Amino acid sequence: MALARLFWVLSASVSLLGGAVLGGPPCPQAPPLWCHHGETARTCQVEKHCAKLDPGPSVAPPVSVSLYYESLCPACRAFLVLQLFPTWLMLSHIMNITLVPYGNAQETKGPSRWQFECQHGQDECLGNMMETCLIDYFQDVSYAFPVIFCMESSRNVTQNLPTCLNLYFPEASLANITSCIDGDLGNKLMHQNAQSTRSLNPPHQYVPWILINGKHTEELQGQAQDSLFRLVCDLYKAKPPIACRDQKAAPPAWPRSPQDDAY
């Protein structure tokens, strides 16, 4: 079943291509970003497909989705890969996303650096740091998100940063990102994630912890995990994109099992 759901995600990406670019000129951006700018859409020959996603000039604020999570948490990975990323692919024009990798980690002040202890061990702390440094490097979560999705959907999150970065942004500097991960900048950024997580109101009780338009309720959390796509479409206050009116566009519901429950 997991493979079937992942196939749906990849199919959603391919739907943006429409087959138009096969044999055409090279595109300057990764596929998830082809519809973010008109010039890129023209270069990649996907204007008609992007038009189906774009509702036109915005007359309402975008729906805000914030995810507080851990890089190795199974429920976090499932939500990010099977709900958040495909929804963002189709509705990025009417939604904003914020990713905060930290979750249930704990920090203590060392002599010169913050020390972190993560729920799933030091490999998770490394994954959190990698994704935090990606977000900082690109200065735009829209660029970092495809790489993070690639990492989170792979068998080993922390071993696939170079491969995922090369897949989406081969021109990006792995050296600069690695410097952040190993250095003071990453330590400072992770401390900021810890502060942001501790300041949540109500305080987070488990992960993934999802905020919709800055609010967390058990009802919103459940709706987001069952069908984030429908939730975003329903909450948008202006004319939604055509995708929202397509009953087949929503990602398939995720039948959560006991081992997938948030914790």
Side-chain angles (χ1 to χ4, degrees):
M1 289 296 291
L3 285 177
R5 295 186 204 109
L6 182 55
F7 177 76
W8 184 94
V9 174
L10 296 176
S11 297
S13 302
V14 172
S15 72
L16 294 179
L17 317 187
V21 298
L22 296 178
C27 294
Q29 299 288 355
L33 303 175
W34 287 358
C35 292
H36 280 221
H37 303 285
E39 184 59 35
T40 303
R42 284 189 291 275
T43 300
C44 299
Q45 303 177 24
V46 291
E47 290 176 282
K48 290 183 179 180
H49 304 280
C50 293
K52 296 179 181 179
L53 307 180
D54 189 353
S58 178
V59 294
V63 178
S64 172
V65 180
S66 301
L67 175 63
Y68 289 75
Y69 71 106
E70 300 166 350
S71 63
L72 299 189
C73 155
C76 300
R77 296 178 68 182
F79 176 74
L80 188 151
V81 171
L82 302 176
Q83 289 288 337
L84 184 57
F85 187 75
T87 297
W88 173 77
L89 276 180
M90 292 183 288
L91 301 180
S92 61
H93 292 86
I94 66 168
M95 65 184 292
N96 288 332
I97 58 170
T98 300
L99 301 176
V100 184
Y102 186 79
N104 296 328
Q106 300 292 324
E107 69 170 359
T108 55
K109 186 72 167 96
S112 59
R113 292 163 59 92
W114 292 95
Q115 305 295 323
F116 301 99
E117 183 176 342
C118 296
Q119 184 165 336
H120 300 92
Q122 286 305 306
D123 204 39
E124 178 167 83
C125 285
L126 176 59
N128 292 346
M129 187 72 77
M130 286 177 167
E131 295 177 9
T132 295
C133 285
L134 279 167
I135 294 168
D136 181 74
Y137 173 81
F138 286 109
Q139 291 294 301
D140 185 340
V141 72
S142 296
Y143 288 82
F145 198 17
V147 184
I148 291 173
F149 161 77
C150 177
M151 293 169 60
E152 291 290 340
S153 60
S154 65
R155 185 178 298 274
N156 191 304
V157 173
T158 58
Q159 290 184 4
N160 283 286
L161 171 59
T163 299
C164 292
L165 193 65
N166 187 63
L167 176 64
Y168 287 106
F169 299 102
E171 73 282 2
S173 173
L174 178 60
N176 287 354
I177 297 170
T178 301
S179 177
C180 169
I181 294 167
D182 296 334
D184 292 337
L185 175 59
N187 193 259
K188 175 184 176 181
L189 293 171
M190 191 56 60
H191 173 57
Q192 292 174 358
N193 284 359
Q195 291 178 310
S196 176
T197 302
R198 284 197 299 268
S199 69
L200 286 168
N201 185 19
H204 93 284
Q205 302 173 21
Y206 49 78
V207 287
W209 188 260
I210 304 164
L211 274 63
I212 305 295
N213 289 332
K215 296 181 180 180
H216 175 90
T217 67
E218 290 301 303
E219 181 180 6
L220 286 172
Q221 175 89 20
Q223 290 176 333
Q225 289 191 266
D226 288 338
S227 181
L228 179 65
F229 179 90
R230 290 299 169 202
L231 180 60
V232 172
C233 287
D234 290 344
L235 291 178
Y236 186 59
K237 300 299 185 181
K239 182 181 179 181
I242 294 174
C244 285
R245 302 194 292 273
D246 183 354
Q247 294 300 315
K248 297 180 180 180
W254 169 36
R256 282 174 275 166
S257 60
Q259 62 264 33
D260 288 333
D261 284 345
Y263 57 97

